[in-house]
Amino acid sequence: MKWTEDRSDNFDDRRGSGGGGGMLVGGGLGTIIIAAIVFFLGGDPSAILNSNASGSQQTEQRQLSQGELKIGEFVNMLQALNEETWAKIFNDNNIKFRPAKVVLFESGTQSGCGAARSEMGPFYCPNDETIYMDMSFFSELQSKFGAKVGQFTVAYVLGHEYGHHIQNLLGTLGKIDQLRQSGRYSESEMNRVSVANELQADFYAGVWAKQTDSREKILEPGDIQEAMSAAAAVGDDNIQKRAQGYVNQESFTHGSSAQREEWFMKGYTTGDIRQGDTFDALLK
């Protein structure tokens, strides 16, 4: 994808800072990997972030390499493009916009939802309206889940997480939390709500891609295919097949590969935030 000169002030690069922010470790590696799979690209991961903790890990401070600095600059650019596009969409719909913060870290750091670990993958914390990303995740996405990783893979992932911030601003995440805390719904019913929630974030990522490209002309050949590859890689059916050899649709929390591709592309083809009511489409 093409780079722009856009940069954001709501960006915090904690890589190389040392200490891991009091990172919590423990639980077995298998448990941690499963948690990362289940909650990848999720909403509020605090329950997993705060569980299985038995100690802390310290890392030494270090200077970031030129390559790492370039990666930080790229993520900062994507963040700025999300801010600009969503500010315009909200303004066009007479809604007040508030930008999210983005934190890059390595190994671990503190978040408003508890101690963040790299094994969790990228996530959005509604408590502090911040997206947390350890960039080592993307090598895992390619090697373990079969995604074709490129620059627009990062754009898709950040766009999805920013989609959760949009849901937070619009009150969607709050309503889902109320449903969960009410105790009136079974696990399978809440799983269906979670799927609708995640697919809407994919839709918002597609809307962002469409509207940003219309304004900035950032897309190059192959970019949308990279997003589709990432969406397919993190489909629940693909993850379950790789992890356990079979698929249990009732346990889906993020949607199938086909659904994730479908809703990202619907956002991209329409570019219209009003077309993304996944809850009405999936929970009838």
Side-chain angles (χ1 to χ4, degrees):
M1 64 178 291
K2 295 180 180 178
W3 287 43
T4 71
E5 297 301 318
D6 303 83
R7 300 295 183 270
S8 172
D9 293 329
N10 300 305
F11 181 73
D12 183 7
D13 193 342
R14 299 179 187 174
R15 297 172 300 165
S17 62
M23 182 182 80
L24 299 179
V25 298
L29 181 60
T31 300
I32 293 174
I33 290 175
I34 291 172
I37 291 172
V38 171
F39 280 85
F40 167 61
L41 296 181
D44 182 356
S46 56
I48 295 297
L49 287 171
N50 288 314
S51 67
N52 298 320
S54 62
S56 64
Q57 175 174 305
Q58 297 294 320
T59 57
E60 295 181 358
Q61 293 187 2
R62 65 179 184 84
Q63 293 292 322
L64 297 180
S65 68
Q66 288 301 311
E68 288 172 318
L69 292 172
K70 196 70 174 177
I71 289 172
E73 184 181 358
F74 177 64
V75 175
N76 192 349
M77 178 196 75
L78 292 175
Q79 178 186 7
L81 292 174
N82 270 277
E83 290 177 0
E84 293 163 14
T85 295
W86 285 111
K88 182 180 184 304
I89 292 173
F90 271 49
N91 183 66
D92 290 345
N93 288 276
N94 297 312
I95 307 172
K96 185 177 180 180
F97 176 73
R98 188 170 60 250
K101 186 176 181 179
V102 172
V103 170
L104 290 189
F105 70 97
E106 55 186 0
S107 297
T109 193
Q110 287 295 329
S111 80
C113 293
R117 297 190 294 264
S118 59
E119 292 88 350
M120 295 303 305
F123 69 89
Y124 172 72
C125 174
N127 295 348
D128 57 7
E129 299 188 349
T130 300
I131 296 164
Y132 292 86
M133 297 178 67
D134 184 326
M135 299 304 291
S136 66
F137 167 78
F138 292 95
S139 62
E140 298 284 313
L141 185 61
Q142 180 167 293
S143 63
K144 292 188 177 180
F145 302 119
K148 179 183 177 182
V149 174
Q151 289 186 351
F152 205 76
T153 309
V154 182
Y156 159 70
V157 170
L158 185 63
H160 176 102
E161 298 305 336
Y162 222 99
H164 284 310
H165 178 62
I166 300 307
Q167 291 175 315
N168 193 32
L169 296 181
L170 296 177
T172 306
L173 296 186
K175 292 177 182 178
I176 293 173
D177 192 50
Q178 288 176 1
L179 292 178
R180 184 178 294 109
Q181 292 187 16
S182 72
R184 296 196 303 267
Y185 301 93
S186 67
E187 181 180 354
S188 62
E189 288 173 327
M190 287 309 304
N191 283 346
R192 293 179 62 208
V193 173
S194 177
V195 168
N197 180 54
E198 296 300 330
L199 293 179
Q200 187 175 69
D202 280 334
F203 172 84
Y204 287 160
V207 170
W208 168 80
K210 178 68 171 183
Q211 295 221 14
T212 304
D213 185 57
S214 297
R215 186 182 71 249
E216 301 283 354
K217 307 301 180 186
I218 60 171
L219 293 180
E220 295 180 317
D223 284 346
I224 295 301
Q225 286 73 18
E226 285 180 2
M228 296 286 279
S229 175
V234 294
D236 284 323
D237 50 347
N238 181 57
I239 290 173
Q240 289 185 0
K241 284 179 184 177
R242 290 174 179 268
Q244 61 193 24
Y246 63 92
V247 174
N248 177 9
Q249 190 169 346
E250 284 193 1
S251 68
F252 282 8
T253 57
H254 289 66
S256 68
S257 297
Q259 286 177 311
R260 301 200 70 163
E261 291 178 286
E262 175 190 355
W263 281 98
F264 172 83
M265 285 306 300
K266 184 174 182 180
Y268 178 69
T269 54
T270 66
D272 183 0
I273 190 175
R274 296 168 296 182
Q275 302 300 313
D277 191 348
T278 54
F279 297 91
D280 182 65
L282 298 170
L283 302 178
K284 291 180 179 178

